[in-house]
Amino acid sequence: MNIFVIGATGFVGGGLARHLSAESHAVTGLARTETAAATLDSQGITPVVGDLEERRPAVIKAAQTADAVVYAAQADPEQEIATVQDLTRALTGTDKSLIFLSGNGVLIQRTAGAWSPDVFAEDDPFTPEPLAGFRKAAEDTVLAAARDGLRAMVIRPGLIWGPGDHGHVSMVYRSVAVTGSACYIGQGLNTYSHVHIDDVTRLFSLALEGGRPGGLYHAVAGETPTRWIAERVAADLGVKARSLTPQEATGVWGEFGALIMAVSGRIRAVRAQQDLGWQPRHTDMLTMIGEERLRRLAIPAV
Ligand SMILES: NC(=O)c1ccc[n+]([C@@H]2O[C@H](COP(=O)([O-])OP(=O)(O)OC[C@H]3O[C@@H](n4cnc5c(N)ncnc54)[C@H](OP(=O)(O)O)[C@@H]3O)[C@@H](O)[C@H]2O)c1
């Protein structure tokens, strides 16, 4: 299959492009610079130079020549929704595959570090997080396009971990560089679902092979309260774990980081397992504790 990955230079899109290439698909990937294009080329991924701003027409043209398109970029909200609209319009009636990478960010609950018993499968109703309204609109646009002759699907993972990630564990290590302690917010019982990058890329392959038009698939293999992460990082570095107020957390992680570290985002992957036979193989995110690349994040900048 000829597959075009938008976001092929990123953590998730890059892992996906390399995985699909290793599966002998012909993979093209979006590159915003000549340097990025050369890197993709060296990985056996054919670069398409463009972006989701002025050079979006090049992206849509590349999408039209592919058998399948994956959107895995992290662009500005206006660019994301405009790109999804352009893609669905351009691919309508072609029966090609379009998979949009979303995330459990659409359904997070602002608990300020408290536990939430709520956990959402694909068909469960939820109140969308206001900041992710654009993302929910993009999901809806993609899924609606399945009625117009497009094999359009959405994959909604929890936090994705693995080599090169930049999620909760790395954020806790970074908090040590700033405060001297491994930090969480409030009680630290807020819990975020997670899944390994290799399990996510396998789910994309299964969806490309057998996913149904209009399919929404959650991807999750485990979940860990934020305080457990902080306690394990503290033990790894020989420092204390410490609770922050939301205000203190903003000083450590910035406004968006503090929001993410304080919310609950629990999902279940029912359809991915039942409809596609997906089984995650990596269930314990805390196996990454102690990696040298993470320990380096705990060293204060000079
Ligand atoms: N990481 C996670 O744990 C996780 C979990 C669930 C969902 N997701 C979703 O997955 C997506 C990718 O996340 P990520 O962690 O892989 O992010 P990332 O590593 O920051 O990669 C972002 C990608 O988007 C590209 N990009 C950004 N702005 C662009 C633009 N204007 N035009 C073209 N390309 C642009 C980047 O290109 P450059 O390399 O040129 O900057 C890069 O390829 C996001 O939508 C995120 O919400 C991520």
Side-chain angles (χ1 to χ4, degrees):
M1 207 186 295
N2 189 331
I3 305 170
F4 178 40
V5 179
I6 299 169
T9 54
F11 166 55
V12 188
L16 181 61
R18 291 188 294 276
H19 165 81
L20 294 170
S21 178
E23 280 191 329
S24 300
H25 293 290
V27 182
T28 49
L30 180 60
R32 290 205 276 180
T33 62
E34 290 300 333
T35 310
T39 303
L40 289 183
D41 201 31
S42 71
Q43 296 171 341
I45 296 155
T46 306
V48 170
V49 178
D51 58 43
L52 305 182
E53 297 144 58
E54 292 82 25
R55 296 182 291 170
R56 194 157 65 233
V59 177
I60 304 304
K61 194 168 161 212
Q64 287 172 310
T65 58
D67 303 315
V69 179
V70 173
Y71 182 98
Q74 172 92 69
D76 289 345
E78 316 81 59
Q79 292 163 12
E80 176 165 305
I81 193 74
T83 303
V84 163
Q85 286 169 348
D86 285 356
L87 282 172
T88 51
R89 217 175 286 128
L91 300 176
T92 289
T94 61
D95 286 326
K96 291 182 178 184
S97 301
L98 169 67
I99 305 186
F100 178 76
L101 171 64
S102 181
N104 63 343
V106 294
L107 50 73
I108 52 174
Q109 298 172 308
R110 298 189 186 209
T111 64
W115 165 256
S116 169
D118 298 333
V119 49
F120 302 93
E122 289 89 342
D123 295 330
D124 291 336
F126 62 87
T127 305
E129 154 60 37
L131 275 183
F134 75 95
R135 177 54 64 86
K136 181 68 171 59
E139 283 189 354
D140 292 345
T141 302
V142 170
L143 296 177
R147 292 194 293 267
D148 301 323
L150 185 58
R151 196 160 157 263
M153 295 169 264
V154 170
I155 290 183
R156 200 191 267 161
L159 172 70
I160 303 172
W161 61 281
D165 73 4
H166 38 73
H168 287 48
V169 176
S170 56
M171 289 173 74
V172 174
Y173 273 94
R174 278 203 282 120
S175 73
V176 179
V178 181
T179 69
S181 301
C183 299
Y184 55 92
I185 296 173
Q187 295 173 293
L189 296 178
N190 61 303
T191 296
Y192 216 81
S193 295
H194 50 72
V195 59
H196 193 274
I197 180 74
D198 291 350
D199 288 321
V200 173
T201 59
R202 283 193 307 105
L203 177 57
F204 269 88
S205 292
L206 291 169
L208 284 166
E209 281 162 28
R212 64 172 178 85
L216 165 65
Y217 304 103
H218 281 183
V220 51
E223 55 178 30
T224 310
T226 315
R227 197 175 77 206
W228 296 8
I229 301 173
E231 286 171 352
R232 288 290 298 275
V233 171
D236 179 45
L237 298 176
V239 299
K240 285 192 165 31
R242 175 186 156 194
S243 169
L244 301 176
T245 65
Q247 291 77 8
E248 288 171 326
T250 302
V252 173
W253 291 304
E255 203 170 322
F256 185 68
L259 169 72
I260 290 300
M261 291 299 284
V263 298
S264 177
R266 305 179 59 212
I267 56 174
R268 294 189 295 132
V270 176
R271 287 196 174 279
Q273 301 195 43
Q274 283 181 358
D275 299 358
L276 300 178
W278 177 73
Q279 286 294 332
R281 294 174 186 160
H282 305 264
T283 51
D284 186 4
M285 182 175 71
L286 296 185
T287 53
M288 72 202 284
I289 298 284
E291 286 181 10
E292 276 313 314
R293 67 166 179 116
L294 295 169
R295 286 178 173 167
R296 278 196 294 273
L297 297 174
I299 300 169
V302 282

